[in-house]
Amino acid sequence: MIFIVVKFTVRPERSEDWLGLVDDFTLATRREPGNLFFEWSRSVDVPHQFVLVEAFADPDAGRAHVKSPHFAEAMAWMPDVIARTPEIVSLDAPGAGWSPMGELRVD
């Protein structure tokens, strides 16, 4: 799978709007056949920063996502809302999604 984490630092005056602004983009991405997950969190350490954790089944699914109309639409409006260029980690990872943590179990 392709595993991606992106940190988006949003302009302070748009921070409370961010999750609503990305809602259509999020829902469309989650409907993509190769999407495994697409999840937003708010940073507890950096004000106005949101962290996106996403994964796609394979490189073809990742390429399809980047070429999708909803991706292009989001990339068109995001520069007006973000405070700086997002930071990204993208890598090939074994597996097909989340696995149980071996060091901590609840039965």
Side-chain angles (χ1 to χ4, degrees):
M1 78 176 161
I2 305 300
F3 181 76
I4 304 164
V5 178
V6 187
K7 292 181 178 183
F8 292 86
T9 303
V10 177
R11 296 175 193 264
E13 67 274 13
R14 300 308 303 271
S15 186
E16 292 306 315
D17 303 329
W18 181 255
L19 293 176
L21 291 169
V22 297
D23 191 50
D24 289 343
F25 175 51
T26 299
L27 294 173
T29 301
R30 288 176 177 168
R31 286 191 295 267
E32 293 175 20
N35 180 256
L36 302 175
F37 50 86
F38 197 84
E39 302 174 6
W40 292 96
S41 298
R42 192 169 198 151
S43 174
V44 296
D45 295 321
V46 181
H48 315 295
Q49 188 174 80
F50 294 83
V51 180
L52 173 60
V53 180
E54 57 185 304
F56 297 89
D58 53 41
D60 289 337
R63 280 189 288 278
H65 169 63
V66 172
K67 292 180 179 179
S68 70
H70 53 272
F71 185 89
E73 182 180 325
M75 296 306 105
W77 64 258
M78 281 185 183
D80 294 332
V81 181
I82 60 174
R84 63 184 207 177
T85 301
E87 301 168 272
I88 187 170
V89 174
S90 178
L91 54 93
D92 291 323
W98 296 103
S99 299
M101 183 177 171
E103 298 82 4
L104 186 61
R105 284 189 72 94
V106 176
D107 294 319

